[in-house]
Amino acid sequence: DGGITQSPKYLFRKEGQNVTLSCEQNLNHDAMYWYRQDPGQGLRLIYYSQIVNDFQKGDIAEGYSVSREKKESFPLTVTSAQKNPTAFYLCAIWTGLLYGYTFGSGTRLTVV
Amino acid sequence: AQSVTQLGSHVSVSEGALVLLRCNYSSSVPPYLFWYVQYPNQGLQLLLKYTSAATLVKGINGFEAEFKKSETSFHLTKPSAHMSDAAEYFCAVCGNQGGKLIFGQGTELSVKP
């Protein structure tokens, strides 16, 4: 994973529950991103943070929340307001123009 | 606004045949372009990138891509497909140096023996 760790790899959620996906990095980069991936829809940006204690909504932020209290950590909470949360979630860090994004290995969330 | 269009959600080739995955972009500023590969249930790995240097870019695993400004294209090619190339491929554009890539829909490559 190149210094970026997502956990857990698989997560099951009951309807009406909030769940939190972890993303940790030890590469000392400022900018971190959360994407959602669904079959045939590519990657859609949920939230991103370019500095500690600051974050911005992406294209599909409704039903999600984030925090950025530490440079190393950017957790994503999928709330009960997200009506269709089953998807593959990817966290990424921006490592500059030489390498673009470095991605974590992803978390597959399933509603049961 | 920037956007990326990948033509063909599924491409199938025979082992040893040419691989051609198409990507067209739209950007109001000189773009930075990337190709990523994703194997099942994994994150994305960088294949190659264009950052305004040489227009023909070579990447890992024998892949290369050519930036054509007149055609707003950044197609990915490989002369001879290998079974291990079967994966999903994503083209992405960034219009500035600050990250926030815009991704295409992805192209799933199948390689037949």
Side-chain angles (χ1 to χ4, degrees), chain A residues 9 33 35 37 40-43 50 88 90 94 97-101 103-105 108, chain B residues 32 34 36 38 41-44 46 49 51 88 90 97-101 103-105:
Chain A
K9 189 166 181 65
Y33 302 80
Y35 284 88
Q37 185 177 16
Q41 297 194 47
L43 278 71
Q50 295 182 311
F88 191 53
L90 287 160
W94 174 252
L97 285 172
L98 274 182
Y99 299 105
Y101 282 175
F103 282 88
S105 58
R108 186 165 296 281
Chain B
Y32 298 92
F34 302 81
Y36 288 86
Q38 183 184 34
N41 290 313
Q42 294 186 24
L44 279 67
L46 180 67
K49 74 277 186 185
T51 56
E88 189 154 20
F90 291 92
Q97 299 185 23
K100 194 178 175 185
L101 297 184
F103 287 87
Q105 303 294 82

Side-chain angles (χ1 to χ4, degrees), chain A residues 41-99:
Chain A
Q41 297 194 47
L43 278 71
R44 294 182 290 169
L45 182 63
I46 306 172
Y47 268 98
Y48 63 102
S49 169
Q50 295 182 311
I51 197 168
V52 175
N53 292 322
D54 189 39
F55 49 82
Q56 287 78 42
K57 293 181 179 180
D59 301 318
I60 56 164
E62 184 175 352
Y64 300 97
S65 66
V66 294
S67 62
R68 188 78 187 279
E69 297 176 0
K70 300 185 300 182
K71 190 174 186 178
E72 300 80 17
S73 179
F74 190 41
L76 173 73
T77 297
V78 184
T79 75
S80 57
Q82 171 51 239
K83 297 307 178 188
N84 185 23
T86 294
F88 191 53
Y89 291 86
L90 287 160
C91 180
I93 56 176
W94 174 252
T95 57
L97 285 172
L98 274 182
Y99 299 105

